[in-house]
Amino acid sequence: MSSGRGGCDRIKGMIAMDVALGAMTLSVCAAACVCSVLLLVGYNTIDTACRDAARAAGTADSTSAAMAAGLLACSSHRTDGFWLSQPKLDQSSFRFAQAMASVAPYVSTTTSCKIRLPALRIALQSDLDSVSIRRQYVFPAIALIQQTPTVTAIDLSSLIGPNNIAVPDVSGVIPGVGNSYSADTSE
Amino acid sequence: MRSSFQRWVIVAPPGKRSGRQSERGAAIILYWAFGLFLLLPLGLATFEVWRYVTASSQLQFDLDAAALCGTANLLRQHNSQGVAAIETNAITAAELILNRNTVLGTTLVCRGTTLDSVPPVHSLSAGQVALNATFVDSNRAPIQPGEDGVKGLRLTAEYGYKPFCGPFIGLGCLPIQVTSEGGIPPIDLVLCFDVSASMDDGTNITTVERFWDGAAVAYQVPQSGSGNLLNVVKPAVDGTKVNVVGPENLSMLSSPLNQGTLYFSESQSSPIKGLRARVSGLPPLELGAPPGNFNPANPNSTYINGHDPASSGNAVTDLVVNLDGNSSFGGWTDPSTGLQFPNVQTLVEAARGNLNTYESMQQSLAMGNVQPAWLPVTAPNAMYQNVYFARAQQLAQPLAAAKVAAIEILRALDQNTVLHAGLVSFSDYIGSDPGSTWGSGAGATTYFIDSNWVPGGTGNFPLPLVPLDAGQPNIIGLLKNLPSADSWLCPPAFAQAGGGGGGGASSIAQLISTLVATGRSNVSAALNEAIAELTNPAMCRPDAEKVILLISDGKPDAPGGSITAAQDCYAAAKNAARQGIKIVAIDVATTSDTNHEAFLEQVATLSKGYYISGSTQAQLNVALQKILTQLVALR
């Protein structure tokens, strides 16, 4: 009996250990997966936000307009706000080239966001549970491209030929005079 | 005592394991083997794939940015640079942008650009980029570097990608190749051109009272009778209805809407009526054709036709353009014919046509053997009247500036894209064909001077409409000869017909040059016509950018009042936005009026287009840049 009961206990213990070990392993794996997914999603989010901000800022023709366009584009990328903070356009590192001498004036945008990682929170048991990631893109400031064509003056007089001049046609009868005469073009 | 865990993981000596333990041990070994040798590599492989895809995606964006920058550098002004220099700039710009970007956090290093039609395969180290550039024409077909007709830039980048796991498995750099092509799409553009009466309000003019003083024809300029037309007429709101060339509508000098004190003599009752010339009643008729209020039967009388000119100081018989362009006329000589216009008297007589022949000059000025001292030595000459009006049309502002603006922008656009253009000129209404004239509409007049002065003659004032033509061939070749090209921007059918307003003009450029100011401003009619053309599959191209170029000087006042008319325009602008049509509004007003500025800006904004104020060369350049650079796109 005791031998049988001991075997049963051993089996139960082994099952319990199986479950405990499996759960632990799964938890670690799950946490690693969640963290990885959060990191990848976060990276993709600020990558896309940074691209859109760069594109938007690149169409502007002044620093303020470019900044406004970049901020607007960045804010359009919504996140949950807890695990993944709202992407921010780093205004201190924002660059808008005003130098018209260059053939490639550019705008440089940097976005950043914080990703909260559950594994860090569990492991560290503190608020230091997030990582900050940044992304930078450079885009041409299209409106400032030096080579954009300019209009060249055209002499309007060369287009106004004899047939294009608005002159009065007064030949014929003058109403009310009572007789007619040909006055050519004179009055 | 060993725990169950120890029993699982510590392999017991052979022969001492139970069958169940062996199974369990094998299972756990498989478990870890699965984890270590399958899941981990799978996870790494997934990460590697994600990393590769991300690197490709980032490289694609970087190359797109480079292609856009390079393409924007391909835009150029007419004959400003050689094609080779422009292409070199484009490639340099693309490389600069590429070198400022990163892939997976590593700054790109462009090791050079080739110009092969088929991108070569390189052996690249990690982070290096080899660029290949191909210039393409409007059909996106490759063309040789230095060859004319470049409309786009195709870039192919090959990047040395270093896999994350590469060092562990002995894998070197993998190539990532991406392609990007930038260009300016073809443009279907309808030019909506305002020819309302206020379009010449910035012209410097002189108003004159011409009369017989008993001994000779005399000329008197009323007080405040010269200068800017707007300042002379002094309209309370909006612009003047008076024009500097026919239809002059001189009666509108005394419109109750004006604050000025001048009036057209022939719009008054007798005895002021008749000051310009006596055309009714009994003889004696005036000499000349007719010369003015000269009574040959009583030449010494200062009271001609019962009227004393001195008592009508604000009466105006003539309005002439100061051909020197100044507010106070100081004389001008036509450089091509040498005809002299030394004084206001010459302007008046030339505009009347009295200096064209000796007979008309002698009769109209009641000359005996002695000529007036002011008469220029170049009179008479058959070209006098034509030279006067040709020059007057060139100086009619802002109309003349608007004409130049329209032609210059169309020419620059055509230089850089495949442009199809149409023209809708508008005042009270729009025309129906290239030969339409303003006088044919309801309420319009054909009188050159005024409806109260029929002897002043008539005219057919052009209001052309040249419809957009989807089948119109590329016109870039024709534009190179501007302004002498006769067929510029002209639909072939119209050119063959030889039609056109204002005396048979046969191109849009020439049609524009013939336009004169008159009537009200029906902007919405023009916008609706332009939208209809730009959305008609038979008239526009499906792949073309749709643009309306609206050139105007102010708020609309037709149909209905200004409020209704403006609302119609806003509705049209919203409709344009829905159809993907941008309105580029160029404000050529001579005065700074926040009302009309706000109106045009609102129209442009509602259509997601652009508003440009002014018609100077610098301001036109801004307009052109806004149009073109916003159109530079990836294909």
Side-chain angles (χ1 to χ4, degrees):
Chain A
M1 290 293 288
S2 63
S3 169
R5 191 166 56 247
C8 187
D9 290 344
R10 205 165 36 247
I11 289 169
K12 283 181 183 173
M14 284 190 290
I15 290 172
M17 289 302 291
D18 279 350
V19 171
L21 188 64
M24 196 186 303
T25 310
L26 277 177
S27 299
V28 171
C29 286
C33 284
V34 168
C35 290
S36 301
V37 168
L38 280 172
L39 279 171
L40 299 187
V41 169
Y43 184 87
N44 279 343
T45 302
I46 66 156
D47 193 56
T48 315
C50 194
R51 286 184 202 183
D52 288 350
R55 270 196 210 100
T59 59
D61 55 5
S62 68
T63 305
S64 56
M67 176 78 82
L71 287 169
L72 187 66
C74 201
S75 65
S76 67
H77 289 266
R78 292 281 174 200
T79 61
D80 69 291
F82 180 77
W83 297 109
L84 198 60
S85 69
Q86 182 65 32
K88 283 183 183 172
L89 183 68
D90 187 350
Q91 299 190 28
S92 62
S93 59
F94 184 84
R95 297 284 180 273
F96 186 82
Q98 296 281 9
M100 299 294 286
S102 170
V103 294
Y106 66 93
V107 56
S108 172
T109 58
T110 305
T111 53
S112 63
C113 79
K114 283 187 177 178
I115 303 169
R116 187 165 289 175
L117 300 175
L120 279 182
R121 191 176 188 84
I122 294 166
L124 300 179
Q125 292 294 308
S126 73
D127 289 338
L128 300 172
D129 58 350
S130 59
V131 294
S132 181
I133 52 176
R134 292 164 65 85
R135 189 75 188 102
Q136 184 188 37
Y137 273 111
V138 165
F139 203 79
I142 298 290
L144 301 185
I145 300 288
Q146 183 200 22
Q147 297 303 316
T148 303
T150 53
V151 296
T152 49
I154 184 171
D155 182 9
L156 194 63
S157 62
S158 59
L159 286 170
I160 301 180
N163 292 330
N164 300 334
I165 302 169
V167 290
D169 177 11
V170 294
S171 54
V173 177
I174 294 181
V177 172
N179 64 341
S180 63
Y181 61 94
S182 176
D184 297 328
T185 58
S186 63
E187 185 185 313
Chain B
M1 185 179 172
R2 286 176 181 170
S3 69
S4 64
F5 178 72
Q6 284 172 315
R7 282 200 298 276
W8 285 343
V9 297
I10 298 171
V11 180
K16 291 190 176 179
R17 288 174 296 178
S18 68
R20 184 168 291 175
Q21 281 175 324
S22 297
E23 286 173 11
R24 195 172 299 279
I28 203 66
I29 288 167
L30 281 174
Y31 179 79
W32 282 107
F34 179 76
L36 285 173
F37 296 107
L38 194 63
L39 279 183
L40 187 62
L42 197 63
L44 285 174
T46 306
F47 174 69
E48 195 66 69
V49 169
W50 172 84
R51 194 166 173 270
Y52 182 87
V53 170
T54 302
S56 301
S57 167
Q58 291 181 352
L59 182 65
Q60 182 69 61
F61 178 87
D62 299 343
L63 192 66
D64 287 349
L68 274 178
C69 191
T71 305
N73 274 274
L74 287 176
L75 301 171
R76 62 197 189 279
Q77 66 187 73
H78 192 59
N79 294 334
S80 62
Q81 286 178 293
V83 176
I86 291 166
E87 290 175 348
T88 303
N89 275 346
I91 292 171
T92 304
E95 287 178 350
L96 285 171
I97 290 294
L98 202 62
N99 284 335
R100 284 173 181 146
N101 264 314
T102 60
V103 167
L104 299 175
T106 307
T107 303
L108 294 173
V109 180
C110 184
R111 73 171 208 183
T113 304
T114 54
L115 293 170
D116 301 314
S117 56
V118 178
V121 178
H122 301 88
S123 177
L124 299 167
S125 55
Q128 270 195 336
V129 178
L131 203 59
N132 187 76
T134 308
F135 296 100
V136 296
D137 63 12
S138 56
N139 296 317
R140 303 177 65 182
I143 58 175
Q144 290 299 315
E147 195 177 329
D148 209 355
V150 178
K151 300 288 185 186
L153 172 65
R154 184 182 300 149
L155 292 178
T156 303
E158 191 180 340
Y159 172 73
Y161 171 74
K162 187 178 179 184
F164 179 74
C165 304
F168 308 114
I169 56 178
L171 193 62
C173 279
L174 296 175
I176 297 178
Q177 196 176 72
V178 293
T179 299
S180 184
E181 185 179 322
I184 300 181
I187 298 177
D188 282 348
L189 181 145
V190 176
L191 169 64
C192 294
F193 198 99
D194 188 351
V195 293
S196 61
S198 58
M199 283 292 283
D200 59 2
D201 282 357
T203 315
N204 283 321
I205 53 105
T206 300
T207 53
V208 179
E209 181 182 2
R210 180 189 190 271
F211 60 96
W212 178 254
D213 70 355
V217 175
Y219 305 83
Q220 177 176 298
V221 177
Q223 193 173 9
S224 305
S226 68
N228 187 283
L229 178 62
L230 204 66
N231 295 333
V232 171
V233 179
K234 296 184 175 66
V237 291
D238 299 329
T240 76
K241 303 293 183 191
V242 180
N243 303 312
V244 298
V245 295
E248 294 182 8
N249 297 329
L250 292 185
S251 291
M252 297 309 293
L253 279 170
S254 52
S255 165
L257 296 174
N258 297 336
Q259 295 171 336
T261 54
L262 304 180
Y263 52 83
F264 180 43
S265 62
E266 306 314 303
S267 66
Q268 306 299 304
S269 56
S270 185
I272 297 176
K273 184 179 178 68
L275 188 58
R276 174 133 185 172
R278 184 179 177 186
V279 294
S280 61
L282 297 172
L285 293 171
E286 297 85 352
L287 295 177
N293 60 342
F294 165 58
N295 182 351
N298 187 10
N300 294 322
S301 171
T302 56
Y303 299 91
I304 308 304
N305 298 320
H307 171 61
D308 179 4
S311 67
S312 55
N314 289 329
V316 170
T317 58
D318 298 77
L319 183 153
V320 290
V321 175
N322 297 342
L323 296 191
D324 60 352
N326 297 323
S327 57
S328 179
F329 185 62
W332 178 75
T333 300
D334 179 40
S336 59
T337 62
L339 293 184
Q340 297 174 5
F341 296 80
N343 43 49
V344 171
Q345 294 93 317
T346 307
L347 295 179
V348 171
E349 301 306 329
R352 290 190 176 207
N354 291 338
L355 301 184
N356 278 18
T357 65
Y358 182 79
E359 289 72 22
S360 61
M361 188 171 77
Q362 189 182 39
Q363 290 183 346
S364 62
L365 296 174
M367 287 185 342
N369 293 327
V370 181
Q371 293 187 348
W374 55 262
L375 201 62
V377 294
T378 49
N381 187 298
M383 291 297 295
Y384 251 107
Q385 193 179 36
N386 269 27
V387 167
Y388 168 82
F389 279 110
R391 176 71 175 167
Q393 282 179 231
Q394 291 170 38
L395 293 174
Q397 294 294 2
L399 185 63
K403 291 176 181 179
V404 173
I407 293 170
E408 287 188 2
I409 286 183
L410 288 177
R411 182 166 65 160
L413 282 176
D414 188 74
Q415 177 73 22
N416 291 283
T417 182
V418 182
L419 176 71
H420 283 191
L423 169 68
V424 181
S425 56
F426 63 93
S427 59
D428 286 55
Y429 46 88
I430 61 173
S432 56
D433 57 61
S436 294
T437 57
W438 189 75
S440 57
T445 180
T446 58
Y447 296 115
F448 197 88
I449 303 296
D450 194 86
S451 56
N452 287 311
W453 179 236
V454 177
T458 58
N460 289 320
F461 310 111
L463 196 66
L465 184 148
V466 181
L468 204 59
D469 185 353
Q472 189 177 346
N474 190 342
I475 53 175
I476 192 166
L478 301 176
L479 279 167
K480 286 182 177 174
N481 297 323
L482 244 183
S484 60
D486 184 56
S487 51
W488 184 65
L489 281 177
C490 178
F494 178 48
Q496 287 161 13
S506 59
S507 73
I508 284 185
Q510 286 188 328
L511 285 174
I512 291 171
S513 73
T514 66
L515 298 174
V516 292
T518 186
R520 297 192 293 165
S521 176
N522 191 340
V523 180
S524 63
L527 291 179
N528 288 328
E529 169 64 23
I531 293 168
E533 291 185 11
L534 288 167
T535 52
N536 184 341
M539 304 176 86
C540 65
R541 294 165 293 176
D543 58 337
E545 285 287 329
K546 311 292 192 296
V547 177
I548 295 174
L549 185 60
L550 171 62
I551 299 184
S552 177
D553 72 331
K555 288 180 70 176
D557 54 1
S562 58
I563 295 175
T564 307
Q567 286 171 343
D568 287 352
C569 294
Y570 296 149
K574 288 176 186 170
N575 186 26
R578 281 194 294 273
Q579 308 283 356
I581 300 168
K582 284 178 180 166
I583 299 176
V584 178
I586 299 183
D587 183 358
V588 292
T590 48
T591 59
S592 180
D593 174 14
T594 52
N595 282 334
H596 77 250
E597 288 170 2
F599 162 73
L600 288 173
E601 192 165 11
Q602 178 79 344
V603 167
T605 304
L606 286 173
S607 72
K608 298 175 182 165
Y610 325 108
Y611 164 79
I612 304 295
S613 176
S615 57
T616 66
Q617 192 113 339
Q619 289 160 333
L620 290 180
N621 284 332
V622 173
L624 186 66
Q625 286 175 4
K626 286 207 176 230
I627 297 170
L628 280 174
T629 54
Q630 300 289 329
L631 288 175
V632 173
L634 297 171
R635 291 168 166 167

